[in-house]
Amino acid sequence: MTKGDTKTAILDAAQELIQRNGANAMSYQHISEAIGIRKASIHHHFPTKDALLNALVQRYTTYFLGLVDSIVESKKDSAEKLRAYAGLFEATLSEGKQDKACLCGMLGAELSTLGGPAAAGIKRFYRENEVRLVRVLEEGKAQGRFHYKGEAKLVAAMIFSLLEGGALVARVEGGHKRLHALAEQTLKLLLK
């Protein structure tokens, strides 16, 4: 494995472990076993767990928001944009045993135990998702597609919270089909 490949493999293994079990249940030993390298090699790339978590949050945020931006900028109608957005959460949950949630959702549940940079990154992830949802909601309202009372910012926060929290709950019961049903019901409430 080259140095870049090793670092990527570490990040990939850590992300997989956290999305299924949480950060507090993930150790360098688990990563070591998952990819077959010594713990010292992991410490070479990420001297502390906080450094690893911060790198993960940054990488995941860039990737996820890139997907969201492509949805927001697409020619799709606003309802289809919201469906596609919800589909990102559904796709993650549908992998494997339907026990995988959004990385930042899992880390958000453990926020008080995380280091400062990772915690700040998670807050940024949440804010940036809501900003993009506001754009879709305002676009839908301007087109006469969506009807909602109150501020778009609060509706966006509600939708984001429903998807992040809904994914965690759906891991326990109903899986991605339950999350899909929740997203569709939310869309019905918005449509005129």
Side-chain angles (χ1 to χ4, degrees):
M1 233 185 269
T2 66
K3 187 174 181 176
D5 291 341
T6 301
K7 189 172 186 177
T8 299
I10 292 166
L11 288 168
D12 290 347
Q15 181 174 327
E16 182 78 16
L17 289 163
I18 292 169
Q19 285 185 276
R20 293 192 191 289
N21 305 315
N24 291 322
M26 183 269 306
S27 69
Y28 279 23
Q29 181 64 39
H30 293 118
I31 298 168
S32 171
E33 291 168 2
I35 59 177
I37 63 171
R38 295 178 318 125
K39 288 191 298 185
S41 296
I42 300 168
H43 281 284
H44 171 74
H45 293 282
F46 303 101
T48 65
K49 192 172 181 179
D50 285 344
L52 173 62
L53 293 176
N54 187 42
L56 273 173
V57 170
Q58 287 181 22
R59 181 179 85 150
Y60 189 82
T61 297
T62 299
Y63 170 75
F64 193 88
L65 291 179
L67 294 174
V68 175
D69 287 341
S70 68
I71 293 168
V72 172
E73 300 300 326
S74 73
K75 302 276 187 221
K76 295 178 181 181
D77 134 296
S78 51
E80 286 306 310
K81 288 180 183 183
L82 274 185
R83 274 194 184 95
Y85 179 77
L88 298 175
F89 294 85
E90 293 170 30
T92 299
L93 185 58
S94 69
E95 291 180 27
K97 298 177 186 177
Q98 296 194 22
D99 61 347
K100 191 172 176 182
C102 169
L103 176 74
C104 289
M106 292 295 284
L107 291 173
E110 299 175 316
L111 192 67
S112 66
T113 64
L114 303 179
I122 293 162
K123 290 175 184 177
R124 177 182 165 264
F125 177 83
Y126 287 6
R127 279 192 315 269
E128 293 296 327
N129 272 273
E130 290 174 8
V131 164
R132 285 153 175 83
L133 283 170
V134 165
R135 287 181 56 197
V136 173
L137 289 167
E138 288 177 343
E139 173 187 292
K141 195 168 196 177
Q143 294 170 345
R145 283 286 280 153
F146 291 155
H147 173 73
Y148 55 86
K149 293 182 180 179
E151 298 176 44
K153 184 176 181 176
L154 292 174
V155 177
M158 181 184 72
I159 292 169
F160 181 72
S161 297
L162 176 128
L163 292 169
E164 280 285 48
L168 295 175
V169 171
R171 291 173 67 206
V172 176
E173 186 176 334
H176 74 283
K177 290 179 182 178
R178 178 184 173 124
L179 186 60
H180 178 78
L182 291 172
E184 284 298 314
Q185 183 60 43
T186 301
L187 192 56
K188 286 177 188 176
L189 295 172
L190 290 172
L191 291 171
K192 274 192 161 185

